[in-house]
Amino acid sequence: MPYMCVPEIFLDANATTPVLPEISQIMQRLCCNQFGNPSSSHLAGAMPKRIIADARKAAAQVFNVVDGRFIFNSGATEGINTAVLSVLAEYTGQNRKNAILLYGATEHKAVPEALKHWNHVLGVNAELLAIPVLADGALDIQFIAKHAPNALILCTMGANNETGVIQDLQAIARAIGGKDKQLPWLVDSVQVLGKVPLDLGALPIDYATFSAHKLYGPKGTGCLFIREGAPYTPLQQGGGQEHGERGGTENVAGIAALARIFDWLLDPQQSPLQAMDTLAGYREELLLALKNLFPNLVLNQPYPESLPTTINFSVPGFESGKIIAIFDSAGIRVSAGSACSKGKPQSFVLKAMGLQDWQCEGAIRLSFGPASSAEFIQMAAARINAMADRLNNLDEAERSGLWVPDPLNVGFAVYADETSKSLYYVGNRDRVKTWLNSYFSADEWEQQLLSEGEHKFADFTLKISETGDFCISHEKLGRALSFNNSGVILSSEYLENVETIAPEIVSSGEYSFLDVREPLETCMQEAPKFGAGGWVSQRADWCRLALEFEGNTANQPVVAICRSGGRSLSVAALVRAAGGPNVLSCEGGVTDVVHFLAAKESVI
Ligand code: PLP
């Protein structure tokens, strides 16, 4: 049977964008042909020097700058650090305990981290104060006005990377005194570039930061705007480049890429970037498809007021990791926009907006670049609609038998007896109840907590100790797994000793597969099932598998396979820990194997 590679659909443009061919050609020319050092006094340095000067002029034109300058650097993180250092350097060693450093609660991490770092390193010791946001993600303007007199710096953003919320910079400017303001103001402008016009001539912003890779340029390139008269301290010193304001040989190819981006912004007719209303139409098309896939999705952003290239949503009953996994399986890359807090991944941006926990834990960000074509959006929408069809055709999972829902994290097990409609369970009560209630209707199934002692279910024996730890054994096969509150007790030796195998070798056809992905992932992407066997096991079933699995009779090696190589390692280790046969682990995921198979069969 031939295997088909589905082309990747990248819908994570707020994280980064590809370098467009037009830009890569410019960069290649500068790296390979016009590669002179702009500081050289011979002729090879002349062209790169001119490129940098032209790029600076173009930046000033794009942002309508009359009294300020641009410094080319490695991107927004460097720009943010430079701006913060520049402002706080004036207070070095002053221990300003009564002063505050004001920043938006939904800023990119680079902002509070830079503030914390320089505040400490320079001995300023001011208090970091997060400006709250309202339910629509807009900064609380009154809060800013109230605290501005006591602040050393104000850091806000043009648009948010997770939600696409656009801040009202005019209102912020008014709150801090407009043109006559005293407070240094940094605006992280990364996400507005190419999406929302920024007029630095009309707004009293002192520092603005940009990264080229958010708009089809290379990573590690950007620039910082500095208003005339605003304090400035170089982050790095060296050979006097950038008029002595940033040492180090310039990234000429990167700067030339930025210059081309600025050219596009100056001449929309010659630019691949689409108009706002076109992008808004694209977003609508994608949202329609998403609603077909998840009819009860909830948007986590003001719509349509947010960036027209960003959709942020949650689906009741789905954590973000689960949704990412099914999109990933279908070849669509989206992101969660969440970081771990108190054990569970949660979006601090959505939390700051006061959204409910399930929304913060399940948030998915889907974003596309402003140069996306109508064909690309149609293809993405068609893929999402196809996912909906697959989801609707998914068979109901088997409910009876032994289940250990989250064997590597939580110690609880359930035996579902189909004939008596009884659920016998052991372990962490809150977690088990949530799981049972989401899979088994309380009207149909009776739940029974197992007591200390020994309980027999089909081929399995469950021994529960007085501390609540338990052991599940398969008497006939002489196998057992022990559990405590955190799941299976699995020494690192088991994980370390699993034999791993590269996806290109797995696809040779000499192996049998043990597919350990979740049903929702499997339904989005078929895995190769060739070889003498072909087994499927979802997470809740891994322990039963480890206790029962006997390999295949043809003695063909068995390889566990998942989406990216993590779970296959765990399952192979679990089978070993239970005393089962040797299972190998595929280092890559199903996508890699399919890719190699397709290449071999030339059906790409
Ligand atoms: N600020 C915002 C809003 C961003 O989205 C990002 C990148 O994700 C950054 C700052 C940091 O940019 P870079 O990693 O290019 O320095």
Side-chain angles (χ1 to χ4, degrees), residues 467-526:
T467 60
D469 291 353
F470 61 97
C471 170
I472 310 175
S473 56
H474 190 297
E475 304 299 338
K476 268 191 246 155
L477 296 176
R479 298 200 202 156
L481 283 171
S482 297
F483 299 76
N484 62 18
N485 202 29
S486 319
V488 175
I489 302 168
L490 186 65
S491 78
S492 57
E493 176 203 335
Y494 288 113
L495 284 164
E496 281 156 15
N497 289 331
V498 169
E499 204 179 318
T500 56
I501 183 161
E504 58 269 40
I505 300 174
V506 172
S507 54
S508 69
E510 288 157 20
Y511 298 87
S512 300
F513 283 89
L514 168 54
D515 183 350
V516 298
R517 295 170 302 155
E518 294 303 285
L520 279 175
E521 293 167 84
T522 323
C523 111
M524 296 300 165
Q525 182 188 28
E526 285 123 48

Side-chain angles (χ1 to χ4, degrees), residues 14-15 74-78 80 107-111 157 159-161 188-191 209-214 220-221 365:
N14 285 10
S74 68
T77 303
E78 183 183 329
I80 290 164
E107 294 301 302
H108 186 276
K109 243 183 143 172
V111 169
M157 68 202 316
N160 186 269
N161 42 307
D188 176 357
S189 309
V190 167
Q191 296 292 345
T209 57
F210 304 91
S211 281
H213 71 105
K214 306 286 184 181
T221 297
R365 176 186 72 186

